[in-house]
Amino acid sequence: MTHSRFARLPQDGPITVVVELGRDSLPVVELHGQIKTTCIEATLDSLAVRHPDAPAWTAHLESREPGRHTLRFTGAAEGAAEGGAEGAAGGAAEGGAGGARTAFPLGILADLLTGGARGSLMTRRLTATPLQRELLADADAHPDPARQVEQAAWDWHGPLDPARFTAAWRSVCAHESVLRTAFDDRAEPGLIVHDHADPEVVRLPHGSAEWHTLAEADRRRGIDPRRPAPLRITLLGGGTACPADAPPSRVLLTYHHALLDSWSIRLLVREFYRAYLAGGELPGGERRPDMSDYTAWLAAQDTAAARDFFTGEDTTGDFVAVPPLFTDTGGRAEGRSRIRLSEEETARLADWAAVRGGSEFTALQAVWTLLLYRAGRAEGPSHVRFATTAAGRSTLFEGVERTPGALAGPLPQSVLVDPDATMTRLIATLRDRCLDQAAYEWVSAGQIHSWTRPPHPAADTLLVFESPPRVLAAPSTELAASGIEVEPPQTLGARTAFPLTLIAHHDGADRLVLTASYDRVRLPEITELLAHAVLLLRELPRGAGRYTTVGEVLGLLSGMGAGTAAGPVRAGPEDTGAPPSVLCHRARADAGTVGLVQAPGVDRAFYDQLARAYEGPEELLLLGPAPAGGRQADAAARAMYGALGSRVRSGGGSAVAGFSGDGAAACAIARLAAADGHRLLAVVLDATGAGPEDLARVLASAVGHRR
């Protein structure tokens, strides 16, 4: 059997590799081209270290003529005595201990010789951290290739040189060992750092792909953590000639949580800008400290204090624990949803939390605690459990803020919710807890579980608050001098080990954005939790004073008439409203209905253009505008759902869409439709700044994907 591929070793010229297999399974490799023998030796060393249990063999490199070499493998014992290919058969067949037949690792050899742009020569092996092993084990335990895969994206305004763009990322990879790292195949996973591995950079011209479809397809493709370069870069657009009215280029980064976190991505993007401004070549040498230094530091840590902290704090005492919301719902909803606050609402929330000694993330934790308490139908003082992601950048490891790697991991939270306590007290409790845990951000959730082994179920929701590294900022002045304007990378949501992951971050306009990634749950719970989370984040700064109690805030939710996870409120016969405007009729009888919540300040002409651009078969209905929040918003949502009438109840599935700010109304309508047993195709919660044609494409893609 003969197999051949064109490839590029980490050397100056291309080569052709031909692998010939004999009956003894030891290959003969023909190499055509100018070969550096040092590269071949490094490849063989890497093969030996990767597979120490493989049969003993010896390699012989023969030079036949200029540009042509033969690489032969023989069994060690026979090869030493016979010195030829015929003597290799016995060694290969009996090469393992006890005479067991073990296959020659040909696949690894082929990967090493023909790795091309992802070529790889091992330089050292590291011990994986407990967090990395846990993230890898979770990814391996599920068939979904997108498990533990995250994405970040941003817009690039101005000229973009694709060749320099690619060269800059390759230069970053050469300087950052984490981008040349992969897990090995051993039972106890370790890390292999390669001395050469280029990231995969894909460029697509404008108009060749719809952005949301592109991002989703790239996420589902996944990242293989056992191959070097755990970062894939996709560029949509780009070009040195950039007209003023040209759409911005878009950059998409896809990476694996077991090797990189969102903090690391922002560090790497900053390094990429430095390389791009320098003509594609990053100045200086390889970064230190790196993950090898961090791993050595971590191995030297004494876990006794951390063990005492986590075993001493995780107790419910005389109080009951609220059961997890999503442990066994039987739901199959899967997807992502996004809602954002306005700039004014974000600033007001930050001020409200700061007066109480907390931050926006503290306020979000407080809101989430109340929602889980209410959804679990708890009464009286009860413990609520969830998890929060620690950035891992508060440790005493020198240079930790500048070290890219997988440092961010989940930590368990158990919070006592007392309806008679004040919100100020709850905020202070969450703040103090966060400060206390900061000293132990290097501990993994698996380690904590092994110490505590609580009888109660583990947390099933994860809260993440992403703050950019303080140590580095994008070189906006230097980029602007080249006519370039960029935005901060925005994470798109990841499939984690938790049924529901809620990520909070600030966008380029400093608005607070909430992104929920979920699976194994029911859609009514998701829509309700997100809508109510945003409601509380908006309403607490307006009406919650120093002495406002937890019970009073829970009463605000009860006053809305909203349902719980166990039983969503159904639309009653009184839910009627004015007939919606029909923007376009169904293209076929079995098509569904899409309701558009009209945004304040957006006239009818915008929606008429959207209807003309929409390519789906669904009927488009323009609903009325919704109030900003409170009971009026809930009542308006009920009225809009009632106005849909038989249109939602007939034909195919339904969908609801709205601009940012109308997410609560859209979610409420979706919840009512789902409670009535109607099949929901999609909820498009965020299309901020989109033109009518863009929104039409996004909507058609979201609905068509689930049709």
Side-chain angles (χ1 to χ4, degrees), residues 642-654:
L644 294 178
S646 61
R647 287 184 168 91
V648 170
R649 298 179 176 88
S650 63
S654 62

Side-chain angles (χ1 to χ4, degrees), residues 445-457:
Q447 288 175 299
I448 297 172
H449 178 73
S450 69
W451 298 334
T452 58
R453 299 193 180 278
H456 46 260

Side-chain angles (χ1 to χ4, degrees), residues 115-159:
R118 298 175 65 89
S120 48
L121 299 179
M122 191 197 73
T123 57
R124 62 188 185 275
R125 186 180 189 273
L126 306 178
T127 301
T129 67
L131 172 62
Q132 288 179 312
R133 290 196 297 267
E134 291 163 22
L135 294 173
L136 179 67
D138 178 72
D140 287 346
H142 297 83
D144 183 3
R147 188 79 167 193
Q148 297 296 352
V149 169
E150 176 66 281
Q151 292 176 303
W154 73 96
D155 288 348
W156 177 300
H157 303 265

Side-chain angles (χ1 to χ4, degrees), residues 491-516:
T491 53
L492 305 185
R495 188 73 50 77
T496 69
F498 295 82
L500 172 61
T501 299
L502 184 65
I503 301 175
H505 71 273
H506 289 96
D507 63 10
D510 206 26
R511 297 171 295 188
L512 186 65
V513 182
L514 302 181
T515 303

Side-chain angles (χ1 to χ4, degrees), residues 590 592 648 651-655 673-674 676-682 703 706-707:
D590 62 344
V648 170
S654 62
D676 275 349
H678 303 304
R679 184 170 67 93
L680 190 70
L681 291 177
V703 175
R706 297 164 176 82
R707 189 177 293 126

